[in-house]
Amino acid sequence: MQHRVLGRTGLEVSVIGFGGIPIQRITEQEAVTLVNGALDRGINFFDTARGYTDSEAKLGLVLKQRRQEAIIATKSMARSKEGMAADIQKSLTALGVDYIDLYQCHNVKDRESLAQIVSPNGALVALKEAQSKGIIGHIGITGHIQELLVEALKTGEFATVQFPFNAVETEAKELLDLAHQTNTAIIVMKPLAGGALRNARLALGYLLEQPVTTIIPGMDSLQQIEENALLGNEWTPLKEEEWVVLKEETEKLGQAFCRRCEYCKPCPQGIDIPTVFLLEGYYSRYDLKDWAKERYKDLEAKADACIACGQCEEKCPYSLPIRQMLSDSAGILADG
């Protein structure tokens, strides 16, 4: 397995990592087989989160036994010092370890959240205290809005940044350049565009040609582990005919694909449009049906609250048919 240095952390991580979302839908025994298989094939970077139900616990079944072979990353939506401190302890307990290599501020999507995190009583204080105690190694940030992540990196507080980047979502020059200048590691989530890209070998191969550190596709079968690990071991640049195939696939995704830029917000009816589409993707592409529907239930305004005013479509830089997409999502995610 090829390795790259995780920015200024100095950690050497496999170019193909393990994304911890799909492991939620398999049994504990299947998870044990999967994680052991990943480690045996040279995958050493494992990313999970407090919000991924039992993902931390399932990874921990193996990682606590093979701790020296793994670099563990997890993350929390907590924004306050108290909340983050509590989540760090919960992560340690769930994983069954006494040390986490990378702890990330998860899904930072507005300036208010970032300001709260770096405030005198914010999550960053708890992370630094945990770092000084030796229970976490490094601090990172994740999100979908590149402008906000650029602001975060300019603070100098984050050693890694994780965001969606793939053959569809390619607009990342400013963030990539700043990460390079500051020696901040790039962790790529959604490398298959949330499962929309079906040719994993070409989609991941495309990313391996980019200035990123590690790519974390979600995997829930040994076949996926074997194929992705093989790519990380024997990767060579895409051939011209492979570029053609990949381009054809990305073009087929066409208009009906949300990049989660959030320019459509705010919705007059209070609908969190990108989150609706994200949950629909988990339902349809990741087969996390129950998980997605439960989270959809928690939304204050559901997709069927749309009154088809069209303001969102006027603001969407990708000209998505958002009204129709909301209607479709409502039909998929609603009970019944």
Side-chain angles (χ1 to χ4, degrees):
M1 173 67 68
Q2 297 180 33
H3 290 74
R4 294 176 183 174
V5 178
L6 194 68
R8 58 182 182 272
T9 72
L11 299 169
E12 291 192 4
V13 298
S14 51
V15 292
I16 301 294
F18 188 105
I21 291 179
I23 201 171
Q24 297 171 92
R25 63 171 174 253
I26 63 178
T27 67
E28 287 189 354
Q29 187 52 56
E30 289 171 330
V32 167
T33 300
L34 205 64
V35 178
N36 275 317
L39 286 166
D40 291 344
R41 289 163 179 78
I43 293 173
N44 75 342
F45 185 78
F46 294 82
D47 179 86
T48 180
R50 281 273 72 227
Y52 298 168
T53 61
D54 60 358
S55 176
E56 287 180 328
K58 284 177 175 172
L59 287 174
L61 293 170
V62 172
L63 298 185
K64 63 187 177 185
Q65 304 295 334
R66 303 178 64 174
R67 184 65 186 91
Q68 299 306 310
E69 301 174 60
I71 293 171
I72 301 173
T74 191
K75 45 195 180 286
S76 165
M77 289 284 292
R79 304 305 187 223
S80 68
K81 176 184 176 182
E82 181 180 8
M84 181 60 78
D87 271 359
I88 291 170
Q89 291 302 320
K90 290 176 184 176
S91 292
L92 290 167
T93 300
L95 286 159
V97 299
D98 58 10
Y99 172 81
I100 294 169
D101 299 278
L102 174 65
Y103 212 100
Q104 302 157 101
C105 294
H106 189 193
N107 194 22
V108 181
K109 57 184 181 180
D110 53 55
R111 287 182 173 84
E112 291 75 18
S113 293
L114 180 59
Q116 186 178 6
I117 287 167
V118 301
S119 71
N121 196 40
L124 187 61
V125 176
L127 289 165
K128 288 185 173 181
E129 288 183 358
Q131 196 175 38
S132 68
K133 294 175 183 175
I135 57 176
I136 70 168
H138 306 279
I139 300 168
I141 189 168
T142 83
H144 295 81
I145 304 174
Q146 292 189 32
E147 292 177 12
L148 191 61
L149 294 175
V150 166
E151 290 184 25
L153 293 199
K154 288 179 179 179
T155 68
E157 299 286 4
F158 304 100
T160 68
V161 59
Q162 181 180 148
F163 66 100
F165 186 42
N166 51 64
V168 179
E169 299 169 278
T170 61
E171 303 84 5
K173 187 178 186 307
E174 183 180 7
L175 185 53
L176 291 172
D177 287 348
L178 181 58
H180 176 73
Q181 294 166 15
T182 56
N183 196 19
T184 303
I186 294 285
I187 302 168
V188 176
M189 64 166 149
K190 304 292 188 296
L192 304 182
L197 294 169
R198 297 300 182 181
N199 194 321
R201 185 179 65 83
L202 296 186
L204 297 179
Y206 161 80
L207 288 170
L208 288 171
E209 296 191 34
Q210 310 304 316
V212 302
T213 311
T214 187
I215 305 161
I216 51 170
M219 295 176 276
D220 63 1
S221 73
L222 272 179
Q223 180 180 350
Q224 293 171 353
I225 293 280
E226 290 168 356
E227 291 174 352
N228 292 342
L230 183 64
L231 177 66
N233 184 46
E234 299 182 352
W235 169 78
T236 56
L238 297 183
K239 299 180 176 63
E240 183 176 350
E241 57 270 25
E242 292 175 321
W243 277 106
V244 172
V245 172
L246 183 60
K247 182 179 180 182
E248 288 177 352
E249 184 177 8
T250 59
E251 289 177 348
K252 284 181 182 178
L253 289 175
Q255 292 295 300
F257 188 84
C258 175
R259 277 83 166 172
R260 298 176 299 281
C261 67
E262 301 201 355
Y263 287 115
C264 58
K265 298 175 72 174
C267 165
Q269 304 306 307
I271 304 170
D272 187 339
I273 297 170
T275 295
V276 169
F277 295 152
L278 182 65
L279 293 175
E280 189 276 325
Y282 282 133
Y283 182 100
S284 302
R285 298 175 189 143
Y286 281 100
D287 196 29
L288 289 168
K289 292 180 170 58
D290 292 340
W291 187 83
K293 292 183 80 167
E294 282 300 314
R295 276 150 184 77
Y296 182 71
K297 284 181 184 178
D298 292 337
L299 296 181
E300 292 186 11
K302 309 295 189 293
D304 59 7
C306 175
I307 60 172
C309 69
Q311 290 186 30
C312 53
E313 293 184 7
E314 292 175 4
K315 294 183 285 186
C316 177
Y318 302 102
S319 301
L320 295 180
I322 296 175
R323 288 172 287 185
Q324 182 59 52
M325 291 168 67
L326 283 172
S327 177
D328 293 343
S329 296
I332 291 169
L333 295 170
D335 287 331

